[in-house]
């Protein structure tokens, strides 16, 4: 399983002068006629922040909660380095975690669609089964190859819990079968 992206909002307790930021901070983009936020990109880790004059930020691209926190600290440190006043401690709230996983089994999606509740499967429209899980509250896109995409989690643990829970459920419903060694080499 791997986390592909974390989207978080960050709240600073003060309004920001985006024009001053654009003038003094290198490598930022600000065109208020096109978009009301300033775009701030970090190279490592590869994270993008949209900064608004209200003091709110949207940060995307982090691959872990730890990376997210480090990125926010780096953004604020960089802004302070260029004389942008930030006094309060940032409040970080994760809005969405997107992850991918591979169960290393074949999944019979027709059978799973029939036996699972809260799902949508229309193979003519989309090759994956869309499953809405209540606990944790996430959406899983499950493919016959055993690969899946998990979205909607607020904490990394929820992703792990969802993957284990859906694997156990599919196994219990007899919707999975092992991939033969030759087949796995082809994938």
């Amino acid at each position: 399983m791997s986390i592909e992206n974390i989207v978080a909002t960050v709240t600073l307790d003060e309004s920001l002068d985006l024009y001053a930021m654009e003038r003094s901070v290198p490598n930022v983009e600000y065109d208020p006629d096109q978009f009301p936020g300033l775009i701030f990109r970090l190279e490592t880790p590869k994270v993008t922040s949209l900064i608004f004059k209200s003091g709110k930020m949207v940060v995307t691209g982090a691959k872990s909660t730890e990376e997210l926190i480090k990125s926010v600290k780096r953004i604020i440190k960089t802004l302070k380095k260029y004389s942008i006043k930030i006094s309060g401690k940032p409040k970080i709230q994760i809005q969405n975690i997107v992850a991918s996983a591979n169960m290393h089994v074949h999944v019979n999606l027709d059978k799973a669609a029939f036996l699972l509740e809260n799902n949508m499967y229309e193979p003519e429209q989309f090759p994956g089964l869309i499953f809405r899980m209540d606990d944790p509250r996430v959406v899983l896109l499950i493919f016959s190859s055993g690969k899946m995409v998990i979205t909607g989690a607020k904490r990394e643990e929820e992703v792990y819990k969802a993957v284990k829970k859906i694997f156990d459920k599919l196994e219990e419903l007899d919707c999975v079968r092992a991939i033969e060694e030759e087949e796995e080499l082809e994938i």
Side-chain angles (χ1 to χ4, degrees):
M1 197 219 77
S2 87
I3 291 177
E4 305 297 335
N5 185 26
I6 297 179
V7 178
T9 51
V10 179
T11 306
L12 303 171
D13 286 329
E14 56 226 298
S15 54
L16 302 168
D17 184 347
L18 301 183
Y19 288 105
M21 276 188 205
E22 182 193 25
R23 284 191 302 273
S24 59
V25 181
N27 303 318
V28 298
E29 298 168 37
Y30 184 51
D31 184 354
D33 295 334
Q34 293 295 313
F35 183 71
L38 178 135
I39 302 167
F40 185 126
R41 289 185 176 89
L42 287 178
E43 282 303 311
T44 47
K46 201 161 176 65
V47 167
T48 300
S49 177
L50 305 175
I51 304 173
F52 299 92
K53 65 182 176 189
S54 64
K56 296 217 186 286
M57 297 166 43
V58 176
V59 181
T60 66
K63 304 259 189 220
S64 70
T65 305
E66 187 180 313
E67 194 176 88
L68 170 70
I69 292 165
K70 281 182 185 171
S71 299
V72 171
K73 285 179 179 175
R74 238 178 105 202
I75 291 164
I76 289 169
K77 188 177 174 185
T78 304
L79 294 176
K80 286 180 175 179
K81 177 181 165 186
Y82 291 99
S83 305
I84 306 300
K85 277 192 180 162
I86 296 171
S87 53
K89 193 176 176 206
K91 293 177 191 73
I92 303 170
Q93 185 173 15
I94 293 174
Q95 300 299 327
N96 185 24
I97 296 176
V98 178
S100 60
N102 188 345
M103 298 182 286
H104 300 283
V105 293
H106 278 298
V107 181
N108 181 336
L109 295 179
D110 290 314
K111 189 173 182 179
F114 184 72
L115 297 172
L116 284 172
E117 291 180 13
N118 299 329
N119 81 79
M120 193 169 84
Y121 180 52
E122 295 186 33
E124 305 81 29
Q125 303 291 317
F126 182 69
L129 180 142
I130 302 166
F131 178 69
R132 295 182 189 284
M133 189 177 279
D134 291 329
D135 180 34
R137 197 173 168 90
V138 298
V139 175
L140 299 103
L141 307 178
I142 305 165
F143 299 91
S144 61
S145 64
K147 293 182 179 174
M148 67 175 118
V149 175
I150 305 95
T151 184
K154 304 276 192 202
R155 297 188 328 271
E156 288 181 48
E157 311 84 70
E158 291 177 346
V159 176
Y160 294 104
K161 183 179 176 185
V163 171
K164 177 167 179 18
K165 194 171 174 180
I166 194 62
F167 179 78
D168 291 348
K169 187 70 176 171
L170 290 170
E171 210 170 39
E172 175 194 318
L173 297 172
D174 196 31
C175 294
V176 296
R177 70 173 173 82
I179 295 176
E180 303 303 319
E181 222 172 283
E182 296 90 47
E183 289 180 277
E184 197 152 88
L185 294 173
E186 292 171 16
I187 294 177

